[in-house]
Amino acid sequence: NGQLVLAGAGLFGCDVASSGPYNLIDHTFAAFADVTLNGFCKARFEVQTIDGGVGRFELSAGQLRAMTQLAGQAEMMRAMVAYEPATHRYWRFAGSDGASGGELTWETSPDGIDYTTLIKVGGLVALELAQFQFHLDGFASAGACSARFDSVNL
């Protein structure tokens, strides 16, 4: 377990990534997300595979999105819900080895125990060699933006 705090004001960008690969097949990666966004800010929690595929939670403008970008393809929004801080306190990725490549599931939870599936997407490869990244960027003229990721665990 650990805690990561990213913050910025004005025009800024903060990025932190895991130091090595992690096997996400039949495993999960979760974080408690306490996010305050002012102005035009965006918080992201993502998994990136060795082939360049990306699965991403993205929070901006009051919307929580599940995004993908498969290697060599354009970014796609797979699901979007109105962000509710109490309901979406925990963000979790769950990986599995599907028939047509890896499957990645986006899940949220109010308590870190009972998770609700936002969406499940197949076709990702190399989930056994995944890196996790946290991002906060944008422009905050009306105050600072912050993202605290706590209880980060594999």
Side-chain angles (χ1 to χ4, degrees):
N1 284 335
Q3 178 175 252
L4 172 66
V5 177
L6 304 175
L11 183 60
F12 71 94
C14 302
D15 304 300
V16 176
S18 60
S19 62
Y22 175 72
N23 183 356
L24 191 54
I25 294 177
D26 298 326
H27 296 93
T28 62
F29 186 70
F32 172 85
D34 179 16
V35 181
T36 302
L37 300 179
N38 296 304
F40 300 98
C41 297
K42 188 184 307 180
R44 296 173 305 205
F45 169 40
E46 68 184 36
V47 57
Q48 183 170 359
T49 60
I50 196 167
D51 74 333
V54 175
R56 173 182 304 128
F57 277 102
E58 182 175 290
L59 176 60
S60 66
Q63 302 294 315
L64 183 61
R65 298 170 183 85
M67 311 286 289
T68 60
Q69 184 170 6
L70 303 180
Q73 297 182 16
E75 184 177 61
M76 293 180 61
M77 183 174 57
R78 302 296 186 138
M80 181 174 66
V81 296
Y83 177 65
E84 297 290 338
T87 304
H88 302 127
R89 288 179 196 250
Y90 288 83
W91 301 352
R92 180 169 81 173
F93 289 110
S96 62
D97 194 13
S100 62
E103 294 179 330
L104 189 62
T105 303
W106 286 251
E107 301 172 318
T108 62
S109 171
D111 57 13
I113 298 169
D114 296 315
Y115 281 86
T116 300
T117 297
L118 184 57
I119 194 162
K120 186 177 201 174
V121 175
L124 285 99
V125 297
L127 285 176
E128 70 279 3
L129 294 171
Q131 181 184 48
F132 295 92
Q133 301 179 4
F134 299 91
H135 306 272
L136 181 68
D137 56 38
F139 179 76
S141 59
C145 295
S146 66
R148 177 174 61 97
F149 296 101
D150 201 349
S151 301
V152 176
N153 63 56
L154 301 173

